Amino acid sequence: MTTIDWDSAADSFDEEPDHGLLDPVVRHAWARRLESWLPGGRSDVLDLGCGTGSLSLLAADQGHRVTAVDRSPRMVELARTKLAGTDTVVHLGDAARPPVGAQRFDVIIARHVMWLLPDPAAVLRHWFGLLRPGGRLILIESVRGGVGLSAERLTGLLSACTERVHHEPLSDDPQLWGRRVDDERYALVARAQPPHRHTEVVDVHLILRRGPEVLLARRAGTGYADGLLHAPSGHVEDGEDVREAMIREAAEETGVELGPQELRVALVMQHRGPGGAPRTGWFFEAEYDPARAPYNREPDKCSELGWFPLHALPDDMVAYCRAGLDGYRAGERFLIHWHEDGDPVAYRPDGARRAVPLPAGGAGTGAVHHIELWVPDLAAAERSWGWLLGELGHVPYQHWEHGRSWRRGESYVVVEQSPDLVPGPHDRRRAGLNHLAFHVRDRAVLDALVTGAPEHGWRPLFADRYPHAGGEEHTAAYLEDAAGYEVELVAGARRPRPAPEEPAPYADVWARRRD
């Protein structure tokens, strides 16, 4: 690297009456220029390669807070003497990497400095990083006797950092130099661009339901996450809304032609892949129609389509999609899923859980916060209730010596074997809790729960009347655990069950429930 004698180099460009700006006419001319370049209000100014501090003094006299830097001890000493009595701070250091730490400035001034730097492009990037948003960089340069940096070249270097460069010729103003000059002298005022407005890719994901199962596609030949399962998905294109994009992607990938009324928003997730940029995904839910069975329309991008149980998803999935489906199953509406750069793209059962649920504005007044059941045997209750609540989409929430809880959305269910529990079994016929009732998506899910319940400590009630023990218009199952707690699992539309009337076809059912 070439070693530069900075004192000699600076002196060679200042062998004129403007050296030190001692001439009142020259000083006044520079003060006027500086006033036109600097902000109108008080600002923080960094003067790089300050020399004896003449421009720093002009800026300080105009009311600005000035920090000055020069790598020449002699210049720093002169500048400190000249600037005594102002609040200007003068540092000994390299103008290319000024010793200002994390401090940021409204203006950076560099006069006859750029031409001396071995890597001006890198220096400009660093200087722009020292500016506040909307700040300005003032560069005063020249080409004398073929030596220096032309305005054209310096403007080109600045174009990599900003689109706003003002070129101001200075050669035609003899008052700046104390005489007429015929070489190229100029100032460039470059504005730091405000931070770019954040933009994200928007993608859409289809949760196509066939009872308790969802449709997944195995990626192949795409160069990203190949071999892993993912829901049918794609990007929103220009001019599309998210629903239009989902309809298009479903048709392109699976051949399923969905109508807008068939799509329901299931989840919105902001996601960042390892080492990637953020994106926002919309997960839409739709029901399987046997008359429109999905098939693989993109064999070059997908090696197979298959149905998988939502409650037991496979592990060989894209972590992003798995997080979305887990959140959907848990009743979440909004998630952030932020990978660390070293994370794998694939889901890892033993890996860190990156999904963070976002409450949807908080539960409204009157919504159920939690339900607490006191049980005589915590271990047995954990097995039975843990299975059932897990199948219904609740996720483990709290765990302490005497209790457990499972959460779904804003509400949670607690089972606790409290030290304060009084002796005696639970009796749903006494005053107090009779039973808990939960929504179930459809008859297929209900059948699967009823089939699996006995293995987990639940016995069916009114099995001979299943699934209409509550009436012909009411599709439900009734289960009881070993401690005598009853749950009702209601399939289908959200409508209230009619109250029993006497006489009624199933009045005997209600009588039996009282027995």
Side-chain angles (χ1 to χ4, degrees):
M1 177 185 292
T2 303
T3 301
I4 298 173
D5 182 343
W6 286 77
D7 288 346
S8 298
D11 287 344
S12 70
F13 262 49
D14 280 321
E15 292 173 350
E16 298 187 355
D18 69 316
H19 179 68
L21 304 185
L22 299 178
D23 186 314
V25 175
V26 172
R27 187 167 61 253
H28 179 68
W30 279 103
R32 284 189 293 106
R33 293 282 180 159
L34 203 60
E35 188 174 19
S36 70
W37 296 331
L38 294 176
R42 184 173 171 84
S43 62
D44 293 309
V45 176
L46 177 60
D47 184 7
L48 297 175
C50 67
T52 64
S54 298
L55 289 185
S56 294
L57 182 59
L58 293 179
D61 285 345
Q62 292 177 14
H64 300 284
R65 295 177 293 267
V66 181
T67 300
V69 176
D70 202 284
R71 66 180 300 167
S72 166
R74 180 168 66 90
M75 294 293 181
V76 168
E77 183 180 353
L78 292 171
R80 285 173 176 165
T81 300
K82 181 180 292 186
L83 293 162
T86 73
D87 59 0
T88 301
V89 177
V90 184
H91 295 295
L92 177 65
D94 188 351
R97 292 277 170 175
V100 294
Q103 189 175 358
R104 294 297 177 263
F105 299 89
D106 303 299
V107 181
I108 295 177
I109 304 173
R111 183 172 182 242
H112 302 319
V113 172
M114 290 299 303
W115 74 284
L116 294 167
L117 301 175
D119 190 356
V123 171
L124 288 174
R125 289 193 297 270
H126 182 67
W127 286 355
F128 272 101
L130 299 177
L131 286 172
R132 295 185 178 119
R136 59 192 77 178
L137 176 63
I138 303 171
L139 302 176
I140 302 163
E141 291 293 335
S142 62
V143 179
R144 310 186 195 182
V147 177
L149 194 61
S150 69
E152 181 180 7
R153 181 166 177 236
L154 187 51
T155 300
L157 292 171
L158 286 167
S159 66
C161 302
T162 180
E163 298 176 356
R164 304 176 62 183
V165 180
H166 167 68
H167 173 246
E168 193 166 320
L170 302 179
S171 303
D172 57 355
D173 186 351
Q175 291 187 346
L176 291 172
W177 317 106
R179 61 183 178 85
R180 295 190 176 277
V181 298
D182 55 9
D183 44 32
E184 182 184 11
R185 307 188 186 193
Y186 63 92
L188 296 180
V189 181
R191 298 295 294 268
Q193 299 293 101
H196 288 293
R197 183 168 294 175
H198 180 64
T199 59
E200 291 187 355
V201 171
V202 177
D203 47 36
V204 290
H205 308 260
L206 178 62
I207 305 174
L208 188 61
R209 293 294 303 267
R210 188 177 71 176
E213 298 177 316
V214 294
L215 183 70
L216 298 178
R218 194 172 299 279
R219 299 176 64 89
T222 67
Y224 178 80
D226 289 334
L228 299 177
L229 290 165
H230 198 287
S233 60
H235 298 157
V236 178
E237 297 180 352
D238 286 343
E240 285 184 322
D241 63 42
V242 290
R243 188 171 59 175
E244 291 171 335
M246 187 74 271
I247 292 171
R248 174 182 53 77
E249 289 289 349
E252 290 176 355
E253 295 188 16
T254 70
V256 176
E257 300 282 349
L258 294 169
Q261 73 283 355
E262 296 181 86
L263 291 174
R264 298 178 296 276
V265 176
L267 177 78
V268 178
M269 176 195 293
Q270 189 189 36
H271 159 74
R272 175 186 179 271
R279 60 178 56 207
T280 297
W282 287 68
F283 288 73
F284 286 91
E285 174 189 55
E287 297 295 335
Y288 167 73
D289 180 355
R292 297 175 294 172
Y295 65 96
N296 187 359
R297 289 198 65 193
E298 295 183 330
D300 58 324
K301 299 178 182 178
C302 172
S303 61
E304 66 167 315
L305 290 179
W307 295 98
F308 298 86
L310 181 62
H311 70 279
L313 291 169
D315 290 339
D316 56 337
M317 293 185 64
V318 176
Y320 174 21
C321 180
R322 176 60 184 260
L325 291 180
D326 285 344
Y328 161 74
R329 181 168 171 264
E332 305 295 352
R333 304 295 289 177
F334 303 95
L335 288 178
I336 294 175
H337 184 252
W338 222 252
H339 275 296
E340 299 293 337
D341 286 345
D343 288 346
V345 173
Y347 169 75
R348 289 177 52 185
D350 58 345
R353 296 294 181 263
R354 301 297 186 192
V356 178
L358 300 179
T365 299
V368 173
H369 185 272
H370 74 277
I371 296 169
E372 185 167 325
L373 305 176
W374 281 18
V375 297
D377 185 338
L378 179 60
E382 185 174 11
R383 287 192 297 272
S384 59
W385 284 97
W387 171 79
L388 180 61
L389 292 171
E391 293 297 301
L392 295 174
H394 294 66
V395 295
Y397 182 36
Q398 299 158 320
H399 188 288
W400 68 103
E401 180 182 0
H402 300 293
R404 311 286 185 266
S405 71
W406 293 263
R407 180 179 60 83
R408 195 177 195 279
E410 295 294 311
S411 302
Y412 60 97
V413 177
V414 178
V415 295
E416 180 176 356
Q417 187 176 354
S418 172
D420 299 324
L421 185 70
V422 298
H426 169 70
D427 187 343
R428 65 177 184 272
R429 296 169 300 177
R430 296 186 184 276
L433 177 72
N434 179 266
H435 71 285
L436 297 182
F438 297 95
H439 285 288
V440 173
R441 172 175 298 280
D442 52 33
R443 173 66 185 275
V445 175
L446 185 66
D447 288 344
L449 290 171
V450 170
T451 300
E455 299 178 24
H456 301 277
W458 296 93
R459 72 177 184 93
L461 299 174
F462 326 123
D464 59 324
R465 303 284 187 174
Y466 177 76
H468 298 299
E472 288 293 341
E473 300 299 319
H474 190 69
T475 302
Y478 302 89
L479 306 175
E480 183 182 59
D481 74 351
Y485 289 95
E486 180 187 346
V487 296
E488 179 180 356
L489 306 176
V490 184
R494 298 187 178 188
R495 55 190 175 196
R497 179 184 60 198
E501 299 178 359
E502 298 287 355
Y506 298 101
D508 61 321
V509 171
W510 301 104
R512 288 162 62 191
R513 292 184 65 191
R514 290 193 294 270
D515 294 337

